[in-house]
Amino acid sequence: MTTTDPMPTLTETLTRLRAAQKGHARGAPAYSVYVNRRIGRVLAAIGYRLGLTPNQVTMVSAAHTFAGIVLLATMPPSWWSGIVVAALLVLGYAWDSADGQVARLRGGGSVAGEWLDHFVDAIKIATLHLAVLIGLFRFGDLDEPVLLLPIGYSIVATVTFFGMILNDLLKGARGVASTHARGGGTLGRSLLLVPTDFGLLCLVFLLWGAPPAFLTVYAALFAANTLFLCAASVKWFREMRRVG
């Protein structure tokens, strides 16, 4: 589109995005594929019509996400604070999906933009569970072993993210297809991996005002993510041996 071309309507922009949509990564969990991407598509169309760059969209995502994380650490758990935190995290995740879609509408992204996107993701993953820890410590009358849950979850989430990024980096350096190469995947696989979906974790904070219910679901997700990391690490190591 040139500077003299009229701005496409929201409907036209959404149609362009659907046509240019890449296949989802193999192993992408269901919420990310069937819910978050679609919300992100609408936000991308809105951001594009507002003239936002992909990097600006990334920063909008960061603003929503980190506002939710700060609330977790500073506000006493309640139903209303849980709803606000969940809404902010869900919107932050959706805007995170939108930045790449805006880049495609504008003709392609940049290495700097990809770096910024991953850098913000790394901060989010490293701080979210620590905010849960702070919130539980400050406002919850809990036994000390319970506080080990967010510490363990933070370790698992950080190591998983690093492992995925490292896999793609090492494979890309050797001309091998990414572990998460796009090209679709089965619905069954996507549903099976729902417990590892960051979007599902965002929704769990709707229970923030009911600590026993929150901790039960949170612990279940932690266990599922730990099992996933254990299984994935074996698979990734075998892939690296083949690459080597």
Side-chain angles (χ1 to χ4, degrees), residues 73-124:
T74 58
M75 297 293 294
S78 65
W79 284 111
W80 75 263
S81 66
I83 291 172
V84 172
V85 167
L88 287 169
L89 293 177
V90 165
L91 282 172
Y93 192 37
W95 278 109
D96 186 33
S97 173
D99 56 9
Q101 299 186 61
V102 170
R104 285 193 290 279
L105 283 173
R106 294 171 62 96
S110 66
V111 173
E114 185 175 1
W115 178 90
L116 179 64
D117 186 32
H118 289 321
F119 187 75
V120 170
D121 284 343
I123 300 174
K124 170 183 70 179

Side-chain angles (χ1 to χ4, degrees), residues 36-93:
N36 193 62
R37 175 181 286 190
R38 295 179 182 181
I39 300 174
R41 185 183 299 152
V42 175
L43 296 179
I46 294 171
Y48 177 71
R49 287 178 53 78
L50 291 174
L52 298 180
T53 67
N55 288 350
Q56 288 172 334
V57 172
T58 299
M59 298 315 295
V60 170
S61 168
H64 282 85
T65 298
F66 296 125
I69 289 174
V70 169
L71 283 178
L72 281 175
T74 58
M75 297 293 294
S78 65
W79 284 111
W80 75 263
S81 66
I83 291 172
V84 172
V85 167
L88 287 169
L89 293 177
V90 165
L91 282 172
Y93 192 37

Side-chain angles (χ1 to χ4, degrees), residues 24-28 164-165 167-168 171 177-183 228 236:
H24 61 267
R26 292 195 300 270
M164 290 179 175
I165 295 297
N167 289 346
D168 291 347
K171 286 186 172 183
S178 165
T179 302
H180 298 88
R182 297 182 181 272
F228 169 80
W236 294 338

